[in-house]
Amino acid sequence: MVIEGFCLKIQRTLAGAAVATLATLGVAGTAHAADDSTTVPGQQGRDGTVDGVDELDPDTVVTCDYQVIYRGDFGDDPSLDDGWIKNNIRCDDGTTYNSTYVRSEVPRYTGEHPIWGSWDIEVSTVSGTGNTV
């Protein structure tokens, strides 16, 4: 199945510095319970779990709108097998993040900034900083 020009809009609320980290990685999420089977190595013992957004410090909570645009072929599985992905993120603190990921068959692919197997980060910008790739 080939999907061309599909656009997905998501709104997420994230706390403080997590916004920059998640946006740079192109990952969206909210706080959730972590157990040892899913905890990233080196992060054991860190409790970041809250029951809801209202428990977070309102001075550090940032709400962001995500626009995810992609083109490619999914084949017979839920993973994008080829093509490109573009994330545009605008947060209520005025910060914006934009990133583009390309697969090796895309002419813009350089292989200089690998992220997942044959996927490469082509662009990763943060407002006020420029391209961080």
Side-chain angles (χ1 to χ4, degrees), residues 2-129:
V2 176
I3 298 178
E4 295 186 14
F6 182 78
C7 175
L8 172 65
K9 293 188 101 174
I10 305 170
Q11 185 178 53
R12 293 282 187 241
T13 302
L14 304 170
V19 173
T21 302
L22 293 174
T24 300
L25 296 174
V27 177
T30 57
H32 59 84
D35 61 41
D36 289 334
S37 67
T38 61
T39 302
V40 175
Q43 301 298 312
Q44 291 86 353
R46 295 188 180 190
D47 184 17
T49 304
V50 295
D51 291 328
V53 174
D54 57 329
E55 291 184 30
L56 299 172
D57 181 352
D59 293 331
T60 61
V61 172
V62 177
T63 300
C64 301
D65 290 316
Y66 286 69
Q67 182 182 46
V68 180
I69 306 164
Y70 59 91
R71 179 184 292 178
D73 185 357
F74 282 84
D76 294 327
D77 59 49
S79 299
L80 191 60
D81 297 327
D82 62 33
W84 54 264
I85 304 166
K86 184 172 184 151
N87 293 334
N88 298 319
I89 304 165
R90 180 177 299 147
C91 299
D92 63 4
D93 67 353
T95 308
T96 59
Y97 305 89
N98 297 290
S99 56
T100 303
Y101 309 96
V102 295
R103 174 100 184 219
S104 58
E105 73 280 341
V106 174
R108 299 182 311 245
Y109 178 86
T110 65
E112 293 177 19
H113 308 286
I115 187 164
W116 313 292
S118 58
W119 286 86
D120 194 20
I121 301 173
E122 179 187 28
V123 174
S124 182
T125 64
V126 178
S127 61
T129 304

